[in-house]
Amino acid sequence: MEPDVSQTMLDNPLREGLSLERLPSPCAMVIFGASGDLTRRKLMPALYDLALEGLLPPGFSVIGYARSPKTNEEFRAEVRESIQQFARRTPIDEGLLSNFEQGVSYVSGDFSSPDDYARLNEELDRLDRERNTSGNRVYYLATPPSAYANIAHHLADHGMVHPLDDERWTRLIVEKPFGHDLQSARELNETLLKYFAEEQIYRIDHYLGKETVQNMLAFRFANGIFEPIWNRTFIDHVQITVAESIGIENRGGYYDQAGALRDMVQNHMLQLLSLVSMEPPPDFDAESVHDEKVKALRSIRPYQPEDVEACTVRGQYREGWVMGQPYPGYRDEARVDEASVTETYVALKLFIDNWRWAGVPFYLRTGKHLPRRVSEIAIQFHKAPHPPFESNVTQSLEPNVLAIRIQPDEGITLKTTAKVPGPSMRLRSVNMGFLYGTSFLVESPDAYERLLLDCMLGDSTLFPRRDGIEASWEPITQILEGWDASGKTELPGYPAGTWGPDEADEFMERDGRQWRQP
Ligand code: BG6
């Protein structure tokens, strides 16, 4: 029996009540690319944490599939080590971990060798027999994207993909990057759709698994007071910041081909944008949510080639210090071209051309090696139209800002103006706030826990749909083409540990605005 997928997101923003009702049916998961960092840092620890909460189905099994020869025991030892190092809940529950390990096995294979898929299939059959995994499968593509098409093809070729009407379900999780531009994203969608139905494809964007991101929907649509002012009449502009203190961390080969726009904006930041700007869906069915998000993304005003430079700022970190540590400049990182013009910082302005948002600029910025790790969405409202105070008092009046802090110190604050106690009318900004840490005494699950569980449950609400991916690549591809056409051989630099290039501040000043200092 297929579990109930009509579960709404609002039912359980805090995972309260995630009990039997949310238990997936028995299944096995195959992780392709199991020797990689993602498996070690995120997937195995998330599966263990799910096991700890009793959220994995009975007999749950996971097969690591990768090229390097390895025994089951060797792979289990690696898994154990990764869980000890990265699981959210410590100390490790030894009994539970040994139990979990019994469901872990390894198949060494090539992504294009039919014989190896046959061996994988035999292992899956064994799990069905011995651990009652019932023929249900999750295939997780944690490989370089160049292997995706091959894997999908071979799985289908070996009868390992069951059609939607089969009682055994098959689901495919696809990691980012999903394409390199609009054309390649479309091609990848078309390739995957030859072998899997759209309902079987789960394109992962881990930002959607973050509690604070899901809370956007609760905040906007479960409260009566915000939606009436969530529009151009009240909002001056919106800033979305995803600042990282880390650099590219041994990922030079990937990053130099990607850059901040593809790495962070096309996926995570445009997903945040769509949640802030979408219309209320009629219900929280996955399709209804996707429909509204896609409409918002499709309303982004196209960039004309000649406008791209004026609407964006690129930067590259130079040598500097972040939180007391010295770091080399980007071009000196391993596997980075020494004449690279890949951006490690990007800021951009966009407009959403619909009735709600006409004329309201959205400013997005992200960068590596900024002073600290902080992500937030800030909604800045118009200033009070006529404050009845002396002019010397009103000069310092600041606009109201609603800041939704995604990480760290998750919470929401509303900046308002208040009278300073005393005999004269002096005004100052103060914050009204809600912090997850103090309001809820439970720790938020890791994004991968939520997303892996949702996939096993067949709930795709938190996974971008095909048209959503393509809609988000459209403006990004226009920007990339504009940048290519500009033929720049140097990008503005910023010392590691600063808030990006000076050009980013000038960019805001030209609009009479400023970046917030989160
Ligand atoms: C990944 C990017 O998708 O997201 C990384 O490839 C980035 O470059 C990471 O560091 C940020 O994720 P988080 O959850 O740490 O904000």
Side-chain angles (χ1 to χ4, degrees), residues 132-148:
N132 296 323
T133 43
S134 309
N136 297 325
R137 318 277 187 245
V138 176
Y139 298 119
Y140 199 119
L141 302 187
T143 63
S146 53
Y148 292 172

Side-chain angles (χ1 to χ4, degrees), residues 52 96 185 222-223 238 240 254 273 294 307 313:
L52 198 60
L96 189 115
N223 292 296
V238 177
I240 305 183
Y254 152 77
L273 175 90
V294 174
D307 297 338
V313 177

Side-chain angles (χ1 to χ4, degrees), residues 308-365:
V308 167
E309 285 295 332
C311 293
T312 61
V313 177
R314 285 178 279 173
Q316 214 176 51
Y317 62 77
R318 307 275 187 253
E319 202 181 331
W321 293 72
V322 187
M323 296 194 287
Q325 288 285 326
Y327 289 97
Y330 177 69
R331 287 177 171 182
D332 296 325
E333 300 269 20
R335 294 188 300 284
V336 166
D337 185 340
E338 54 192 27
S340 173
V341 282
T342 298
E343 76 291 353
T344 62
Y345 176 97
V346 61
L348 60 89
K349 171 162 77 166
L350 60 80
F351 288 95
I352 296 182
D353 283 341
N354 60 22
W355 273 57
R356 185 190 282 265
W357 296 114
V360 178
F362 287 75
Y363 299 96
L364 277 53
R365 64 174 164 164

Side-chain angles (χ1 to χ4, degrees), residues 389-390 392-393 418-428:
F389 309 107
E390 304 282 332
N392 63 335
V393 172
K419 178 182 174 302
V420 179
S424 60
M425 179 55 91
R426 282 198 303 128
L427 302 176
R428 213 186 75 193

Side-chain angles (χ1 to χ4, degrees), residues 176 206-207 210 244 246 251 263 268 368 373 407:
K176 61 166 284 215
H206 78 279
Y207 266 55
K210 293 184 191 268
E244 295 191 278
I246 56 168
R251 295 160 78 214
D263 187 49
H268 311 321
K368 296 281 187 199
R373 173 177 188 250
Q407 61 192 21

Side-chain angles (χ1 to χ4, degrees), residues 69-281:
K70 216 175 277 178
T71 62
N72 282 341
E73 284 61 41
E74 284 165 339
F75 185 58
R76 285 188 189 134
E78 277 176 30
V79 169
R80 165 173 282 267
E81 195 259 355
S82 75
I83 290 171
Q84 281 164 340
Q85 197 177 349
F86 297 109
R88 183 165 60 85
R89 301 275 189 86
T90 48
I92 297 299
D93 178 332
E94 267 305 320
L96 189 115
L97 180 56
S98 321
N99 209 2
F100 178 79
E101 273 177 347
Q102 285 169 21
V104 174
S105 55
Y106 184 79
V107 173
S108 131
D110 193 86
F111 299 132
S112 51
S113 149
D115 290 350
D116 294 344
Y117 286 88
R119 284 193 300 109
L120 174 63
N121 210 7
E122 278 165 25
E123 175 63 4
L124 283 164
D125 286 344
R126 178 188 75 79
L127 295 174
D128 285 344
R129 282 193 313 275
E130 294 178 11
R131 294 180 57 86
N132 296 323
T133 43
S134 309
N136 297 325
R137 318 277 187 245
V138 176
Y139 298 119
Y140 199 119
L141 302 187
T143 63
S146 53
Y148 292 172
N150 230 336
I151 297 173
H153 160 80
H154 282 288
L155 288 174
D157 222 35
H158 283 77
M160 295 164 79
V161 180
H162 299 130
L164 275 182
D165 56 7
D166 196 292
E167 61 181 20
R168 297 160 298 174
W169 53 257
T170 308
R171 297 181 188 133
L172 180 76
I173 304 186
V174 188
E175 258 299 331
K176 61 166 284 215
F178 199 95
H180 198 66
D181 55 13
L182 177 58
Q183 179 63 21
S184 55
R186 273 195 189 130
E187 285 167 9
L188 179 54
N189 272 326
E190 275 157 25
T191 305
L192 297 179
L193 286 162
K194 279 195 231 159
Y195 311 112
F196 291 83
E198 172 64 28
E199 293 86 336
Q200 295 175 311
I201 304 176
Y202 290 71
R203 302 168 186 84
I204 213 158
D205 185 315
H206 78 279
Y207 266 55
L208 294 176
K210 293 184 191 268
E211 283 292 336
T212 35
V213 174
Q214 294 164 52
N215 188 42
M216 273 299 297
L217 296 175
F219 183 76
R220 286 190 60 195
F221 304 132
N223 292 296
I225 61 169
F226 299 113
E227 213 42 29
I229 57 169
W230 210 260
N231 57 48
R232 69 197 166 94
T233 312
F234 294 90
I235 295 178
D236 177 73
H237 74 277
V238 177
Q239 292 187 21
I240 305 183
T241 300
V242 178
E244 295 191 278
S245 54
I246 56 168
I248 56 166
E249 299 204 301
N250 300 322
R251 295 160 78 214
Y254 152 77
Y255 197 89
D256 207 35
Q257 299 300 312
L261 187 70
R262 288 187 178 98
D263 187 49
M264 297 297 287
V265 183
Q266 178 272 326
N267 37 56
H268 311 321
M269 296 185 77
L270 289 188
Q271 288 299 321
L272 298 181
L273 175 90
S274 65
L275 293 174
V276 186
S277 61
M278 70 194 263
E279 295 301 315

